[in-house]
């Protein structure tokens, strides 16, 4: 589990207590934004390269949107359940399960950020042809996929946050 409290993010040389062994830093929001920007560049470039080679750009299906929405719903449910168990009821969670949940939360945030960028890049690459129904539909589907991917990122971050070990008031000295 991640260590709790804002003081756990302080660097060892900042006059604060050093990080506890085995603790995990919260996922950096800047890193997620950088991954999304990289994904947008990849998505945009990929569509332009496919079209330059006389290929047909892939479509995003409704099944893709449903799958991403289902993943987001599962992550939100896991985050809520974990938050209730760890933060509210202060139940002990088995270490292997806690590490698994933390890993799922972090991985979902990273993959969701990358896919958000790729889908946004897809949408941007078709913006020039909005007057035709084909590109308009691709922009809409890619835009919806990007929004749902943001939900996956959000749910992953919430699951990661729910895994933080609450500060024990008896341990403060």
């Amino acid at each position: 589990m991640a260590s709790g409290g804002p003081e756990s993010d302080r660097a060892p040389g900042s006059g604060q207590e050093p990080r506890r062994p085995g603790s995990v830093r919260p996922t950096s929001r800047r890193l997620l934004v950088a991954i999304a920007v990289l994904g947008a560049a990849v998505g945009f470039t990929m569509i332009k390269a496919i079209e330059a080679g006389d290929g047909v750009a892939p479509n995003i299906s409704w099944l893709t949107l449903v799958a991403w929405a289902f993943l987001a719903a599962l992550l939100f449910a896991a985050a809520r359940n974990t938050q209730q168990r760890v933060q509210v009821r202060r139940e002990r969670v088995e270490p292997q399960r806690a590490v698994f949940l933390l890993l799922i939360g972090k991985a979902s945030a990273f993959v969701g950020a990358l896919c958000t960028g790729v889908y946004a890049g897809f949408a941007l690459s078709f913006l020039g042809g909005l007057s035709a129904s084909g590109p308009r539909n691709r922009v809409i589907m890619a835009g919806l996929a990007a929004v749902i991917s943001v939900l996956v990122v959000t749910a992953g971050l919430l699951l990661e946050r729910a895994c933080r070990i609450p500060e024990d008031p008896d341990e403060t000295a």
Side-chain angles (χ1 to χ4, degrees), residues 6 8 16 19 21 23 32 51 60 77 83 94 98 113 119 129 131 138 140-142 144 147 158 164:
S8 64
Q16 295 293 325
R19 298 184 60 79
S23 64
L32 291 176
E51 290 177 343
I60 298 171
Q83 194 268 341
E94 304 81 31
Y119 289 133
S131 58
R138 287 181 177 190
I140 291 169
M141 294 299 280
L144 286 172
V147 169
L158 287 174
R164 285 187 179 173

Side-chain angles (χ1 to χ4, degrees), residues 36-59:
V37 168
L38 176 68
V42 167
F44 184 85
T45 304
M46 185 171 54
I47 294 299
K48 294 303 178 189
I50 289 170
E51 290 177 343
D54 292 331
V56 177
N59 285 323

